[in-house]
Amino acid sequence: MGRRRSLGSRLLAGLALVSMSICLVLLHQLSHQEARAVIGAGGAGGGGNEAIERRERHSHRYLLMAGGGSIPGGAVGAAEPPKSHVTKTAAGTADDHGDGREQNHNNNNQSQLMPILDRRLPRLLIIGVRKGGTRALLEMLNLHPNIAMVPVEVHFFDKFDNYQRGLDWYRSQMPLSTDAQLTVEKSPSYYVTPEVPERVYAMNPHVQLVLIVRDPVTRLLSDFAQIEASRATQNLPNRRFQDVALLPNGEVNTQNRALHVSLYAKFLSRWLHVFPRRQLHIVDGDRLIHDPYPELQKVERFLGLDHLIRRDQFYFNATKGFYCLMGVPSPTANLVTNINDDNFTSSSSSSSSASVDDHANYYPHHYHHKCLAGSKGRRHPQVPDEVISVLRQFFAPHNRKFFAMVGQDFHWPEQ
């Protein structure tokens, strides 16, 4: 019985060896056939890879059938592909050196690097206030390469006729910009118009808002100077500030529309009813006039932008009495001038017509100096001190309420 078992074991071992030999022969023949198929493919790009992968799979299967144990080299298809392949160029010709593939790769890279210019709805609105410095703030922010400003006041949300035109019309008023840029529009009347907060929210509930304010009395004096300049063009008689701001009995004329704009808390409550406080940034307009750089750094921080606006981009113009800009992007000679009542003049502009280049925010490789136009910095009327004192006392409680709402004290005088 022992001899029979030994003989049976030897026969089984012999059969196993024969089976392994047959598998190895078949594998050898298959490898030669596939190699010939690859050589004969004559430019069928990627055929070498497929043949090698098939051969590896067959090898692993034959070894397992022959009792060869685990698959060597890890997972199937782990073999390194050949170093060169036969490919076709963009012109459709065979290129054994892969130049066509490299050319296509470069073209694809260039397409990916080229930013897509489009007209995008604003993600930042400067909502007010009138005569607070909205134009100056917008032009200063435009020094940042990631800001694309709307050069004119569109008045989309506050004018019913414009709002009826819809968001497609509003988008058409926007400048061309990249996806990395924030499109910014400003219209100071947005702040005081009751319907605007809800309309803005309907466009984008996550839009960021900037409000710039000044000492209410100073703002009122500036507003009065502008109104009187407009009246002069209509040949209307000049008026004294105190006759407009106060009643004959010396009390404040609360029916004065210009005075109401300085009641900041009254209008802020509407905005905070719709938008969370974190989406609103308050700019100190008085500080912006005297030292713009720190205020602009705060805006950059609020918007999550890198601090790319530099202090040396501002210089004080003693003749005009305020800061001007230098290093402003301007690829064309004709830049925006005489826009509404918030204007800038450009040292590179020789025309008074409003001309806008859609690419002005994207190709900042030509630079010029830019200053507020003559309509800015108007001389304020001479007003008796007692009139100023009455107005400051009137605004004091309204100012304190505003400070509490925004969590910021602007230290405006109360006497």
Side-chain angles (χ1 to χ4, degrees), residues 312-328:
D312 62 9
Q313 290 179 293
F314 306 94
Y315 68 96
F316 187 78
N317 188 312
T319 302
K320 292 180 174 293
F322 46 73
Y323 279 88
C324 297
L325 315 180
M326 58 192 303
V328 181

Side-chain angles (χ1 to χ4, degrees), residues 153-170:
E153 293 179 7
V154 182
H155 291 282
F156 175 66
F157 297 103
D158 62 316
K159 291 190 175 180
F160 181 77
D161 291 344
N162 287 341
Y163 191 68
Q164 287 294 98
R165 296 180 178 183
L167 284 178
D168 287 340
W169 177 85
Y170 185 44

Side-chain angles (χ1 to χ4, degrees), residues 150-227:
V150 183
V152 297
E153 293 179 7
V154 182
H155 291 282
F156 175 66
F157 297 103
D158 62 316
K159 291 190 175 180
F160 181 77
D161 291 344
N162 287 341
Y163 191 68
Q164 287 294 98
R165 296 180 178 183
L167 284 178
D168 287 340
W169 177 85
Y170 185 44
R171 190 193 304 273
S172 72
Q173 308 303 304
M174 301 299 108
L176 292 174
S177 65
T178 70
D179 189 53
Q181 290 180 304
L182 286 172
T183 299
V184 183
E185 192 234 333
K186 76 99 176 175
S187 291
S189 52
Y190 286 169
Y191 187 62
V192 299
T193 306
E195 300 84 6
V196 171
E198 292 284 356
R199 291 175 177 177
V200 171
Y201 187 89
M203 177 196 70
N204 180 3
H206 305 292
V207 69
Q208 293 174 292
L209 308 168
V210 168
L211 174 69
I212 179 169
V213 293
R214 299 177 67 185
D215 178 334
V217 178
T218 304
R219 195 218 65 81
L220 181 58
L221 288 167
S222 180
D223 206 344
F224 175 81
Q226 177 168 300
I227 292 171

